[in-house]
Amino acid sequence: MTLRYGTTGPGVERLHNDLRRHGFGLTADGVFGPATETAVRAFQREQGLVIDGIAGRKTQSALQQGRDPKALRQADLVGAAETLEVDLAAVMAVNEVESLGVGFHLGGPRNATPVILFERHIMRRRLEHHGISPAPWEEKRPNLVNSRPGGYQGGPHEHGRLARAGEIHAEAAIESASWGLFQIMGFHWQHLGYSSARVWEEAMRASEGRQLEAFVRFIEADPAIHAALRRRDWRDFARRYNGPDFERNDYDTKLAAAYRRHARALEKAA
């Protein structure tokens, strides 16, 4: 459960106790107030985590088990902002709203697999792209090759679908999944400057920092969305990034609010 300013209950009480074990003088009252947010930010700074004051899975895990080396770092976001020549608060807002929050499933640094979603209708197209008729596979393996989306198993089980699709055609399978924090489709690998689909996959498996790097390349490759991010036109950015239904999930409103919060926190820290 993600804990943030205003959250109350046993989860926050456990958070307080974890922070107390790390030397923060908090009262375990179960209320996520200003003192808790300050302590969370301080702990995140100490650990090299993203400094957002939000106790999500990665912060809570670091409190209990130590920082996962694959976890996104504040330094990664700083580097992304410098590369894109945008405000750090803007990159932090996009990371908060547009990413999945975690780029890997649980399993420890060595066993963690990246978050993916395998798309069987994309697999059909990619097989055609590689000069392979999808028709026989549509008949034999409709859960892996199909003209319609679906067949999802969710979570880590998607890697089983990816592996089975790889037995049909390894590169097409990689290209047919969305990957990591920002769920970028694998078929973008060449457009984003990766030398092969397998190199793309290796990057997505390496760390959340490498997944953020892919997102940066994705933004750089689209001048219009890059310009929207630079001028902090959240409505235009959300429309281009999320599609015409962006208003249904209030992406523009959420981005604007997250940007204001991060900008205030960065100004205060400075």
Side-chain angles (χ1 to χ4, degrees):
M1 177 183 178
T2 298
L3 308 172
R4 62 181 71 220
Y5 189 89
T7 308
T8 60
V12 181
E13 187 174 348
R14 286 192 294 272
L15 174 65
H16 285 154
N17 286 326
D18 287 338
L19 287 164
R20 284 168 62 86
R21 283 194 292 273
H22 284 268
F24 294 94
L26 295 170
T27 301
D29 58 7
V31 178
F32 199 127
T36 305
E37 185 176 54
T38 298
V40 168
R41 288 183 182 277
F43 175 76
Q44 291 169 333
R45 186 175 294 106
E46 289 178 0
Q47 295 292 310
L49 294 165
V50 172
I51 307 169
D52 57 9
I54 299 170
R57 192 187 85 184
K58 287 177 283 191
T59 296
Q60 293 179 45
S61 177
L63 280 163
Q64 297 162 11
Q65 304 170 28
R67 179 183 173 275
D68 183 345
K70 289 187 176 183
L72 193 66
R73 304 170 301 158
Q74 186 73 7
D76 296 322
L77 295 176
V78 171
E82 291 175 349
T83 299
L84 292 171
E85 297 182 332
V86 301
D87 288 353
L88 174 57
V91 173
M92 293 182 71
V94 173
N95 176 63
E96 179 181 325
V97 175
E98 300 288 4
S99 84
L100 295 175
V102 290
F104 289 86
H105 298 294
L106 291 172
R110 293 185 179 181
N111 301 319
T113 55
V115 173
I116 66 166
L117 189 65
F118 179 80
E119 300 285 3
R120 65 187 188 183
H121 64 296
I122 303 297
M123 182 68 178
R124 187 183 191 281
R125 296 177 196 170
R126 298 314 293 175
L127 286 174
E128 290 181 329
H129 172 81
H130 290 288
I132 299 170
S133 172
W137 296 108
E138 254 186 303
E139 185 176 345
K140 294 177 187 176
R141 308 296 293 273
N143 190 44
L144 302 177
V145 182
N146 207 300
S147 60
R148 295 178 298 174
Y152 307 116
Q153 295 182 357
H157 299 295
E158 290 295 309
H159 280 274
R161 297 180 70 211
L162 177 68
R164 291 190 292 274
E167 295 171 359
I168 299 172
H169 191 281
E171 191 170 86
I174 295 167
E175 294 168 341
S176 301
S178 56
W179 294 81
L181 282 169
F182 299 93
Q183 286 296 280
I184 298 172
M185 290 300 301
F187 62 73
H188 288 296
W189 64 264
Q190 190 170 20
H191 180 59
L192 300 184
Y194 293 87
S195 59
S196 69
R198 289 190 181 277
V199 169
W200 161 269
E201 181 185 22
E202 288 171 5
M204 296 304 98
R205 291 182 181 276
S207 69
E208 290 180 347
R210 297 293 300 279
Q211 294 170 4
L212 175 64
E213 179 187 314
F215 169 79
V216 169
R217 294 188 187 197
F218 186 84
I219 297 299
E220 287 183 309
D222 187 329
I225 198 170
H226 194 178
L229 182 59
R230 277 179 167 166
R231 65 176 183 269
R232 301 189 297 281
D233 184 338
W234 298 118
R235 185 174 180 81
D236 190 34
F237 180 87
R239 178 177 62 82
R240 294 179 184 278
Y241 191 80
N242 301 108
D245 292 334
F246 72 94
E247 290 180 311
R248 183 175 299 175
N249 292 306
D250 293 325
Y251 283 115
D252 56 333
T253 303
K254 292 175 182 176
L255 284 162
Y259 171 76
R260 290 193 297 269
R261 185 172 65 257
H262 290 303
R264 286 196 300 268
L266 290 169
E267 184 178 358
K268 183 178 179 182

